[in-house]
Amino acid sequence: MAGKTNKRETEEKTDFVRPSGRNYDELRPVIIKPDYLDYADGSAYIEMGKTKVVAAATVEDKVPQFLKGTGSGWITAEYSMLPRSTEKRTPRERAVGKISGRTQEIQRLIGRALRASTDLGLLGERTIIIDCDVIQADGGTRTASVNAGCIALAICFKNMLERGQIDTFPLKHLVAAVSVGIVQKKQLLDLDYLEDSQAEVDMNVVQVDNGHLVEVQATGEKIAFSRTELARLLKLADKGIEEIFKIQRSVLRKLHPVFVAF
Amino acid sequence: MAGKTNKRETEEKTDFVRPSGRNYDELRPVIIKPDYLDYADGSAYIEMGKTKVVAAATVEDKVPQFLKGTGSGWITAEYSMLPRSTEKRTPRERAVGKISGRTQEIQRLIGRALRASTDLGLLGERTIIIDCDVIQADGGTRTASVNAGCIALAICFKNMLERGQIDTFPLKHLVAAVSVGIVQKKQLLDLDYLEDSQAEVDMNVVQVDNGHLVEVQATGEKIAFSRTELARLLKLADKGIEEIFKIQRSVLRKLHPVFVAF
Amino acid sequence: MAGKTNKRETEEKTDFVRPSGRNYDELRPVIIKPDYLDYADGSAYIEMGKTKVVAAATVEDKVPQFLKGTGSGWITAEYSMLPRSTEKRTPRERAVGKISGRTQEIQRLIGRALRASTDLGLLGERTIIIDCDVIQADGGTRTASVNAGCIALAICFKNMLERGQIDTFPLKHLVAAVSVGIVQKKQLLDLDYLEDSQAEVDMNVVQVDNGHLVEVQATGEKIAFSRTELARLLKLADKGIEEIFKIQRSVLRKLHPVFVAF
Amino acid sequence: MAGKTNKRETEEKTDFVRPSGRNYDELRPVIIKPDYLDYADGSAYIEMGKTKVVAAATVEDKVPQFLKGTGSGWITAEYSMLPRSTEKRTPRERAVGKISGRTQEIQRLIGRALRASTDLGLLGERTIIIDCDVIQADGGTRTASVNAGCIALAICFKNMLERGQIDTFPLKHLVAAVSVGIVQKKQLLDLDYLEDSQAEVDMNVVQVDNGHLVEVQATGEKIAFSRTELARLLKLADKGIEEIFKIQRSVLRKLHPVFVAF
Amino acid sequence: MAGKTNKRETEEKTDFVRPSGRNYDELRPVIIKPDYLDYADGSAYIEMGKTKVVAAATVEDKVPQFLKGTGSGWITAEYSMLPRSTEKRTPRERAVGKISGRTQEIQRLIGRALRASTDLGLLGERTIIIDCDVIQADGGTRTASVNAGCIALAICFKNMLERGQIDTFPLKHLVAAVSVGIVQKKQLLDLDYLEDSQAEVDMNVVQVDNGHLVEVQATGEKIAFSRTELARLLKLADKGIEEIFKIQRSVLRKLHPVFVAF
Amino acid sequence: MAGKTNKRETEEKTDFVRPSGRNYDELRPVIIKPDYLDYADGSAYIEMGKTKVVAAATVEDKVPQFLKGTGSGWITAEYSMLPRSTEKRTPRERAVGKISGRTQEIQRLIGRALRASTDLGLLGERTIIIDCDVIQADGGTRTASVNAGCIALAICFKNMLERGQIDTFPLKHLVAAVSVGIVQKKQLLDLDYLEDSQAEVDMNVVQVDNGHLVEVQATGEKIAFSRTELARLLKLADKGIEEIFKIQRSVLRKLHPVFVAF
């Protein structure tokens, strides 16, 4: 089996051409519109290629049971797709009567990413809910949700500061995410749906802006993968995430002086 | 009680000024973007003031039980609000575990309006689902959904024609809807949320483009209303609906020659 | 299309004969038995032809969240059909696991009708639940529910007065409802199931006893309808509702002196 | 402990007087109205004192999975209480979102009783659903349901014979049920709610009309009971059940000659 | 019918041989392992032949609504089967979305049995939950649950005494249960699944250790049964239950001196 | 932040002593009992310290929709914890009415791990369900489930071979899993509950027996982690997993010659 693996690793440059014509280490065009909604406590709209997500922050004056009396806050995320965000219509989860494992997995990932970037002790006993609603889905909706969620959260914190709800800006780091994977033996950055659906290895990486990792989820959908492959995919992800950080910074700095620190 | 009522009817010109500064018979600005989504069989985005709705059509090759074997089709609607479409966050219905009466009422209204405008016999045994998802809600989301749903449906029918799924364009009429109501004794067209929440009488009117009515729902939330008041509200609604028909026509005619007939 | 419509309106006298042999403006026989149940705080049984409904009032010492601290009360309704109230057995909603849109629509209609007839400020922070259970369904169950619900509510208020829970009788008006519709181009009062299932236009009207309207719900199931047709149907409904008020008054006045005012 | 028990058994004649003034071995007045509903395939209304139940039979042309292909039929029962059948309002199970253990226990009991009385092989692959809906509940609703259900079923079988659905009358025996119990050390027949709620031992007995037992459910709610007490309660139940058989027979024989055999 | 019945009663010694080779009045081998779990407040594992159940006690500092303020406690049971405890896999009830009638019936039986053996007034306002989880099911899981539940409860009470939560040992009696039935006309003790699935009469008996009955549930699945048969089955059950009491006593006495009283 | 991180990485040898006294790279004692259940198509019981799991395989002759007609099979997993497997009782998910995100995440992980180790094309259109039920939970239940699930699956395949359901043994690799993490800056193998609940970084690794990775899930619960830390944790996991493979091999080889290949 080792021989077979080596073969795969050395043959990495296959004939595979990305459907979009992108280079293997090229992100899709990223557009972020901050303050997209009138009523949310913070919001952002993101496009990563055809993938389109609205993220909205809501401040609630309560915390989960295990935080009561600690003075500390919490961040949680909800994720949903419009039924016709997808090529084939996806029935609403309210109709099916239960939240799918995929949805729950994604919600938990987004929540962890945003909590890891925040000093929860500065929030007081409040919960920030980040609603991520997918208008259109072409792969990478969970990573787009993290990327937009970070902006919605940053704006929400700015508004809380202005309202006097908090004294110190609680976001420690920008946080961003990207998917990488192996498709037809080729390592690719930012998979779209067509690529994702045929990936041999699928991986989501979440990082904060000092280069450290918050979450690594790598899955061999069809084949097992070596430690070397894992390392290469992590490097590819790092490249994409640094580009997203630049866009996030640019959007935030235009918005308000408090974001200049990022 | 009659005296009191007459008083109300004659005193119609109260000091009440609309929060938006609009005239009593003035629609909010209406913007319709057709073909808003890449994957739907037909779609439209509508803004009526701050109210923003995405409507998406999906063709499914099956019909409800009672239509099987009849050769006839069906149109149904689903309606949902993004949690932070509202001033205060509305929990997702999937979380609550049931679809509210309000949602069901709205879905049924949209479905009836679109079915009444269509020759269902021309569809073959297919169901068109119209998904109406509210991005932002400032009153009148159900009527905005009908207005955008009509465009999504028209585009869907055009696409079905082009694919050869149907032979004849099945939309008999454009259909549009608007809300009217009595607020502080004043009869108003196209209520926003602030007006709607204090309305004494609340009414939704759906019409087809020959001036006939498809649906009238009038409710005395706080007071009962006279037949004269009902007639005046119907007239106000007619004015607004005719303006919406103009916008719908303009949007469709730019899109494709098949729509010139409307 | 206008020509076609005029034709319908003038040809109103079709060959259509009502299955029951009733005149077009004739109610089915109405029987109301007050105080039908031993344990309810107020109750009534109604027969409108073969349609049979039991309405029961329950006083609860709590109000919905939005009324807490206001000193004001609330009235709400629940509606259900026995499984074999219908020609074909209707599965119980508890088995299906959700309340249908139809049920919710009806519950909301009954609740609004009864609230519009009551001075809720006189109730104190109490909720009156009106349970409407359909023993047999031959069309018009929602209007029968309003008619019986009004009696159950009136008796409930009398009992609350006698127990000293309230000081003033809170029912401002009797309230009654009836369905009207267009069947085979003929305008009919009080549709039974056979008529209702083939109606072109279906309409439910709720009025209070000063002649004002509380609710108008008109739906063009198969055709759109003109403003003239709407006005005629409203007039037909008025005739039927006035006859129901007479029966309600007669039942209540026999029961207790407090009801003489109606 | 034996001493204590003997004491209870010998002291059986306590001062306890039944709230209704009935003798310890006296049934409440029993009224059965056959053919109570217009649409059911068989129905009966029963009063046992203030307890009032409507039973309705429905024939469905399908059987549970385990009977498919056997040519044999099935009988099942559904039981529900109107919310205000009770002194304190009982929320609808559809609202609670699950069927209570009590309801399920009762449904299963009724189903077993009726199946035990029927030659299921004569039904063909059909299921008879017996809906038992409690209009008013004053104890003994499950036994009243069995008693009315037997009549509804018998009428249903008669109708099936007349329609030619079956050739032979499938009811082998009349079946009836009654509750017995020990209240304040006194053994009582046909407990009403007040008695039932304070019973030390509670027992439901179902018999067919040859004197044999179909079901015995005896529960020591507060105390354990001896084999002697069990035997005495069974005898008391037998007396009551024989009286119910007389009423069932009388009702059926008036209805149709086919029932003379019972 | 009487003749037929007598025949059955006299012909009791049929050719029927138990699949396990057991004598008609022979229990399966019973093994009880006390303190099976590390974290429960009391626990026991039981094997009755191939039937294997884990019972675990949990003390919660709250009581059902109707006991609040009374100073008295409560015991309740939950019952579940591992999906592959059975010959054919049983889907999890969480997947089906509702608790089956069978499960509820069993839970209620276990709860009543344990409450009947306990002086609930000595518990304080606490609830003991007895979780009975079936690892393998070969008939008699509900009676095995009672038998293991009694040991888990006794150990739980010992631990509560040691922690000073209670002053007096609240278990009044050991309680045990066994199934009996009639299979191919033969009366059998402790039915395994093969026997149970073809039983004509099925019966569960719960007794306390003074010989009195707590629960008798006898069901004629295929035939009705006579009072004589009922009495004989009760006697057979008594024999089995006394043997279980011996095993329970032996297990408890080895565990702790407090159990010597039993 | 880099300085702080370097500090952590160099200071790795903290004073932290594992509660169990284990070395940092030491597994808990692992016991695997194959063929634990009588009725399953394959089963295993595993203990990893106090963590105890039963895994049971079931063969069903159907596949998910997307595999119909492909000739290929599927493997899926269900995971559940007995309520009192934990220190504090965990309510049953059937009672809560929904499957938690944690449960779904775990089920999906187990399913992917087992599918990655199997040649699904050899199964025919069959689904293997692996039920993992946690008898006692002291951390690492998902990795224990993978480890036992692999054995249950292997035995199931052996039985399918013997029954002639399949021709070729479909398990390509043994698969095993272990958790690693950083607790008080110390990198640890096989965390128990006490360690897991205070871990700064938590990671689950699944490997097949050629050393390749199937799944890596690393989460910075409290801190972000560097690529170097990730690599070290992967190495620690590799050590543990190789030890588990030895135990799995030993168990299987004793059971049947077909397993000698592993």
Side-chain angles (χ1 to χ4, degrees), chain C residues 66-114:
Chain C
F66 67 91
L67 283 178
K68 278 183 189 159
T70 65
S72 183
W74 192 244
I75 300 172
T76 188
E78 297 200 3
Y79 169 96
S80 186
M81 297 167 80
L82 294 204
R84 206 51 201 279
S85 60
T86 45
E87 188 68 45
K88 192 176 175 323
R89 186 177 184 270
T90 310
R92 293 172 195 271
E93 290 185 314
R94 75 174 186 205
V96 180
K98 59 181 174 182
I99 303 180
S100 75
R102 179 185 170 274
T103 294
Q104 298 219 48
E105 222 171 70
I106 293 176
Q107 294 186 156
R108 289 157 63 92
L109 172 72
I110 303 171
R112 282 194 305 262
L114 298 176

Side-chain angles (χ1 to χ4, degrees), chain F residues 4-5 13 30 60 68 70 81 83 92 97 132 144 154 163 169 174 181 184 189 191-192 246 259:
Chain F
K4 188 182 163 200
T5 306
K13 305 261 181 300
V30 177
E60 297 205 337
K68 279 182 189 161
T70 66
M81 300 166 79
R92 295 171 195 272
C132 300
R163 288 178 209 149
F169 196 76
L174 292 182
Q184 294 185 24
L189 174 66
L191 280 61
D192 61 26
K246 273 185 205 146
F259 298 122

Side-chain angles (χ1 to χ4, degrees), chain C residues 38 89 94 107 131 136, chain D residues 38 89 94 107 131 136:
Chain C
D38 289 300
R89 186 177 184 270
R94 75 174 186 205
Q107 294 186 156
D131 284 295
Q136 197 159 274
Chain D
D38 289 300
R89 187 177 183 271
R94 76 175 185 201
Q107 293 187 157
D131 284 294
Q136 196 159 274

Side-chain angles (χ1 to χ4, degrees), chain A residues 127-145:
Chain A
T127 296
I128 317 290
I129 305 172
I130 303 292
D131 283 295
C132 300
D133 285 89
V134 178
I135 304 298
Q136 197 159 274
D138 185 28
T141 59
R142 78 187 70 188
T143 52
S145 295

Side-chain angles (χ1 to χ4, degrees), chain F residues 18-65:
Chain F
R18 303 188 80 166
S20 57
R22 277 188 286 155
N23 199 350
Y24 79 101
D25 64 350
E26 191 182 343
L27 283 183
R28 292 174 288 182
V30 177
I31 297 170
I32 297 179
K33 300 185 191 170
D35 265 339
Y36 186 72
L37 297 174
D38 289 300
Y39 304 134
D41 296 306
S43 65
Y45 167 90
I46 192 168
E47 290 186 12
M48 295 184 72
K50 285 189 171 179
T51 291
K52 302 172 186 184
V53 178
V54 176
T58 297
V59 183
E60 297 205 337
D61 284 333
K62 59 181 177 190
V63 284
Q65 191 60 39

